[in-house]
Amino acid sequence: NAEYMGEISGSRIMSQVDSSLQMVPEHPSVTTARQNKKASMKPREVVESKVIAAIDEILKADTPTLIGWMDREIGSKFDTFRAAFETHKIDGAVFSLLTESHLREMSPDSAIGDRLHVLAIRDKIIRAARMATRNHIIMEGKCFVSPPNKNADFILTAAALKLVFASAGEVQVAVSGKTRQTSIHTYTDHIDISTIEDVDVESETQMVKVYEDVKQQVVQSTCCGSKTVEIMDRVCTGERTVGVAKLYIRLSVETSIKDPAKEAEGGHRGTKFLTLTIEPFETGEKLHQEMVSIMEEVRRVQIVHAE
């Protein structure tokens, strides 16, 4: 059985939600299409070079391992520094801290070009470490987003909150007259953590509908007459009471997420306020805690850079 969140009730100043809005359950064909699409996707980790791919190995490397890696990267240009790295115990943890003055002190006879090659590798490692941190997935799950009053998958990284929306294609089944969802298209909105001014969470009790996948037989017209095919349909079998979390997010800039109310008024479609409804409450509360922690870290970095 698959259970989905039902009617949304209540409102808040930051995001007024029509109590008649419902979490619309996906048809089984859309669920299958989503799973197939996800299975065919490449890993989310961004691998732009062998430096990024090996970043964990490099940062944890001892001195002999780092020396071997540098030999493979720049070859003879590292000859001048091999003995110096051993003498001064330069390992992966401190390599990114090296400066040109360090290299000149360690190896006074080194050529400027060789030093620049080493520093170029150092810079690659620094960029790779930052990229790996930014793209690391901290938490992901499902939610209902208002606006635009749609289901979405959320993905939280150290750099952004990503909301992945899906829209289904439909086709009319002959004879039965029913509309079936047959394809899925996704689009993602990225909310940079630095643009989030505040995030709050509260618990709410809601009545949600319970759905069950049921096999049905329908008649389809063909060029030679008709045939009976078996399809999966989603049927509401009842309701239940659940505790959900409502996350209220205030942004410093408008997002590109469509606000139906503003569009109806002919205004700008963006919004500075979002409400995420997440079941169960514990999942929403954990997302809130992770977001607050990341926001605090981003602000500390901004203060350091300002100084």
Side-chain angles (χ1 to χ4, degrees), residues 80-101:
T80 312
F81 303 99
R82 188 176 293 103
F85 268 51
E86 292 176 347
T87 300
H88 294 277
K89 296 180 171 53
I90 305 300
D91 57 17
V94 300
F95 179 65
S96 62
L97 303 177
L98 283 179
T99 64
E100 186 175 7
S101 61

Side-chain angles (χ1 to χ4, degrees), residues 12-306:
R12 185 164 174 140
I13 293 177
M14 289 197 298
S15 182
Q16 296 181 349
V17 182
D18 189 333
S19 60
S20 65
L21 292 176
Q22 295 186 2
M23 292 285 284
V24 181
E26 288 179 346
H27 189 272
S29 62
V30 177
T31 303
T32 301
R34 182 196 293 275
Q35 293 170 347
N36 292 340
K37 183 178 180 70
K38 186 173 183 179
S40 65
M41 291 175 64
K42 295 180 180 179
R44 289 193 179 93
E45 289 78 12
V46 179
V47 181
E48 290 189 346
S49 70
K50 56 186 176 181
V51 177
I52 297 178
I55 186 63
D56 287 336
E57 176 186 344
I58 297 169
L59 293 176
K60 297 175 182 177
D62 56 17
T63 300
T65 302
L66 179 63
I67 290 174
W69 188 82
M70 291 293 292
D71 276 332
R72 292 191 297 273
E73 282 293 302
I74 57 177
S76 61
K77 299 178 182 62
F78 186 67
D79 292 346
T80 312
F81 303 99
R82 188 176 293 103
F85 268 51
E86 292 176 347
T87 300
H88 294 277
K89 296 180 171 53
I90 305 300
D91 57 17
V94 300
F95 179 65
S96 62
L97 303 177
L98 283 179
T99 64
E100 186 175 7
S101 61
H102 290 147
L103 295 175
R104 193 163 48 243
E105 181 180 346
M106 289 164 52
S107 184
D109 297 330
S110 61
I112 294 176
D114 290 345
R115 292 200 296 270
L116 292 177
H117 278 290
V118 173
L119 293 176
I121 294 296
R122 178 208 62 184
D123 292 342
K124 283 185 180 180
I125 291 176
I126 292 174
R127 288 194 298 270
R130 288 175 180 169
M131 187 171 293
T133 301
R134 285 179 60 85
N135 290 279
H136 172 67
I137 297 176
I138 298 171
M139 188 176 175
E140 56 186 332
K142 295 184 177 297
C143 63
F144 181 80
V145 185
S146 177
N149 310 327
K150 291 183 179 180
N151 295 333
D153 292 332
F154 70 81
I155 302 171
L156 179 66
T157 70
L161 174 64
K162 304 176 184 180
L163 299 174
V164 184
F165 298 93
S167 59
E170 298 180 342
V171 66
Q172 197 78 12
V173 177
V175 182
S176 67
K178 292 186 177 180
T179 299
R180 300 297 175 195
Q181 296 172 331
T182 58
S183 63
I184 185 169
H185 308 281
T186 61
Y187 62 96
T188 304
D189 279 295
H190 293 249
I191 301 173
D192 195 291
I193 295 296
S194 63
T195 67
I196 300 178
E197 292 186 339
D198 187 36
V199 57
D200 195 10
V201 64
E202 67 178 25
S203 62
E204 185 175 289
T205 301
Q206 294 183 352
M207 290 296 296
V208 301
K209 294 180 180 180
V210 179
Y211 293 87
E212 182 177 348
D213 293 340
V214 178
K215 291 183 179 180
Q216 292 187 356
Q217 291 185 338
V218 298
V219 179
Q220 282 186 328
S221 296
T222 66
C223 60
C224 301
S226 63
K227 66 176 181 178
T228 301
V229 295
E230 192 175 73
I231 63 171
M232 293 294 294
D233 203 0
R234 186 152 290 171
V235 178
C236 178
T237 59
E239 293 184 335
R240 67 186 179 92
T241 302
V242 298
V244 301
K246 296 181 79 71
L247 269 68
Y248 301 97
I249 302 174
R250 187 176 77 243
L251 307 173
S252 59
V253 296
E254 288 188 346
T255 72
S256 60
I257 296 177
K258 296 179 181 179
D259 186 338
K262 288 187 177 181
E263 282 194 318
E265 297 171 358
H268 192 279
R269 71 180 188 177
T271 180
K272 288 187 177 182
F273 303 102
L274 294 172
T275 301
L276 272 58
T277 303
I278 301 173
E279 179 193 348
F281 172 77
E282 291 74 18
T283 301
E285 185 178 39
K286 181 180 178 182
L287 176 61
H288 172 257
Q289 293 171 350
E290 295 287 0
M291 288 181 64
V292 169
S293 176
I294 297 171
M295 289 164 59
E296 290 175 349
E297 179 62 26
V298 168
R299 286 166 184 165
R300 281 196 293 268
V301 171
Q302 288 174 336
I303 291 174
V304 170
H305 286 175

